[in-house]
Amino acid sequence: MSNPRLTALDTLHRSLGATMTDFAGWDMPLRYGSERDEHTAVRTKAGLFDLSHMGEITVTGPEAVKALDYALVGNMGTIGVGRARYTMICQEDGGIVDDLIVYRLGEHEYMVVANAGNAQVVLDAVTERAAGFDAEVRDDRDNYALIAVQGPESPGILKAVTDADLDGLKYYAGLPGTVAGVPALIARTGYTGEDGFELFVAPADAEKLWQALTEAGKDAGLVPCGLSCRDTLRLEAGMPLYGHELTTSLTPFDAGLGRVVKFEKEGDFVGRAALEAAAERAAAKAPRKLVGLVAEGRRVPRAGFSVVAVGGADVQVIGEVTSGAPSPTLGKPIAMAYVDAAHAEPGTSGVGVDIRGTHEPYEVVALPFYKRQK
């Protein structure tokens, strides 16, 4: 087995006493202290994350937009320069390969950001699909470190170390700027349900930027945060995770995310025919729906556990948990699950999760569990 890859901040994480874990072939900080404290800091103050394991792929050239329109399900031509779009890349059969954020950096320059575990698969697929177009696909994973500052105090913290126009930076937009003296792409994106920023910088500049943000945030409650609290934050915010809510066995329509598929764009794209059929099936018969579940008790559901409908002596399996964890914000265990449409309405009674043979009662709720106050 090969050694895990290290981010540019590896030594710093260890100096902060981080508990490290292998994640998608990278050695990443799981937590620095208490997961709950890190989670609460992001909800109430601010948290600092190393996300350098994400996969950056740059597509340039006169037909970059056409190449991406063919490779992905979204309409890339409608992204303005300096804006970003959530989209997906699918197989020919419509199965989801990965969910992505695409940034339009210039007239003919796009950056595709893939999940760490899928970065190579996405790179290979985009490279293959772009072969017939006047476009170049570049693996930029080694050219970026990615640092995120997330939480209600994050705008004030970032303003202390940049003169970029953060007030004018909309959600899902990015602009080049200088942060703590280093060049950065400043994006108003994140995976926590809070306001925040993701900063793409050269790996050699990562430690300087981390230290500057730490200093700027010391009086605002900023703390370093690991992947563990990132998972509970995204779960509360109802954000899907590849390998849990999204898989190659599901189409975007099965996942309740059919809105990302843009049939109106010109030309063919990989998976179009299968996705048109999936859209028709979804319109004719509602597929399983992704819902939230909130525990009435204390037992925590985990991915793969069965969701059941309990009525008298009968127990019927109606779905499956995709993600589950204790929610620090709600103070109860929560889960996302795909359940039959007949049991997907918020407040549906008689729904439980089979936790090692015991049917624990759960309340069906609409997602997200948590929505920040604007």
Side-chain angles (χ1 to χ4, degrees):
M1 183 176 164
S2 59
N3 291 328
R5 298 179 68 178
L6 307 180
T7 78
L9 295 166
D10 183 74
T11 302
L12 188 145
H13 296 317
R14 293 172 195 279
S15 74
L16 292 172
T19 299
M20 306 296 287
T21 188
D22 183 353
F23 184 85
W26 290 82
D27 217 9
M28 297 297 294
L30 189 63
R31 71 182 75 81
Y32 298 84
S34 156
E35 296 164 15
R36 178 178 290 272
D37 290 349
E38 291 171 24
H39 180 112
T40 303
V42 176
R43 285 279 178 258
T44 60
K45 302 282 177 50
L48 193 59
F49 297 83
D50 178 10
L51 305 179
S52 301
H53 59 317
M54 300 294 279
E56 296 87 6
I57 301 157
T58 304
V59 183
T60 57
E63 291 189 322
V65 66
K66 286 186 177 179
L68 286 171
D69 269 343
Y70 175 69
L72 313 180
V73 302
N75 190 344
M76 300 298 106
T78 59
I79 306 174
V81 174
R83 298 307 300 266
R85 174 86 39 89
Y86 177 79
T87 188
M88 293 182 184
I89 182 168
C90 290
Q91 299 177 148
E92 195 66 66
D93 67 1
I96 301 166
V97 176
D98 200 13
D99 61 338
L100 312 163
I101 295 181
V102 178
Y103 297 88
R104 188 172 186 180
L105 304 181
E107 187 64 28
H108 302 297
E109 182 179 8
Y110 294 79
M111 182 169 70
V112 178
V113 180
N115 286 297
N118 294 329
Q120 189 64 48
V121 175
V122 173
L123 174 67
D124 292 345
V126 172
T127 302
E128 182 186 331
R129 296 174 187 189
F133 298 90
D134 186 3
E136 180 193 348
V137 179
R138 188 172 71 237
D139 179 2
D140 265 348
R141 285 176 289 178
D142 291 339
N143 296 325
Y144 288 108
L146 178 56
I147 294 173
V149 55
Q150 298 278 303
E153 297 291 340
S154 58
I157 292 167
L158 193 54
K159 280 178 185 176
V161 290
T162 185
D163 57 5
D165 178 18
L166 299 185
D167 291 336
L169 187 65
K170 295 186 173 73
Y171 187 50
Y172 265 71
L175 84 168
T178 301
V179 184
V182 306
L185 171 66
I186 306 166
R188 201 162 205 156
T189 47
Y191 196 49
T192 63
E194 297 298 337
D195 192 10
F197 303 87
E198 296 184 317
L199 309 169
F200 296 84
V201 298
D205 293 330
E207 192 163 333
K208 179 183 177 184
L209 177 57
W210 181 282
Q211 299 287 27
L213 288 165
T214 299
E215 181 64 23
K218 71 177 190 295
D219 294 330
L222 178 75
V223 301
C225 293
L227 294 181
S228 186
C229 83
R230 190 166 182 254
D231 189 49
T232 52
L233 289 159
R234 71 92 196 166
L235 176 55
E236 287 184 350
M239 294 176 165
L241 175 64
Y242 194 85
H244 289 254
E245 288 72 41
L246 309 175
T247 69
T248 52
S249 63
L250 295 171
T251 73
F253 294 94
D254 297 323
L257 291 166
R259 65 181 181 276
V260 306
V261 182
K262 303 300 182 186
F263 294 122
E264 70 274 14
K265 65 179 175 176
E266 285 184 23
D268 196 17
F269 62 90
V270 177
R272 181 191 269 273
L275 289 168
E276 285 174 341
E280 286 180 20
R281 285 196 305 273
K285 178 183 181 293
R288 282 187 166 183
K289 279 188 156 178
L290 188 64
V291 301
L293 299 174
V294 178
E296 293 182 21
R298 309 305 304 170
R299 299 183 74 187
V300 178
R302 298 297 182 191
F305 286 12
S306 294
V307 182
V308 296
V310 183
D314 294 333
V315 176
Q316 175 191 1
V317 175
I318 57 165
E320 185 176 300
V321 171
T322 53
S323 297
S327 164
T329 305
L330 275 65
K332 298 176 180 178
I334 59 172
M336 286 200 278
Y338 283 110
V339 302
D340 294 345
H343 295 87
E345 279 300 308
T348 301
S349 61
V351 172
V353 175
D354 187 332
I355 301 182
R356 297 180 184 85
T358 304
H359 299 140
E360 298 287 336
Y362 272 75
E363 180 189 358
V364 179
V365 300
L367 292 170
F369 300 96
Y370 166 84
K371 205 166 190 177
R372 71 182 172 95
Q373 302 301 309
K374 299 290 185 188

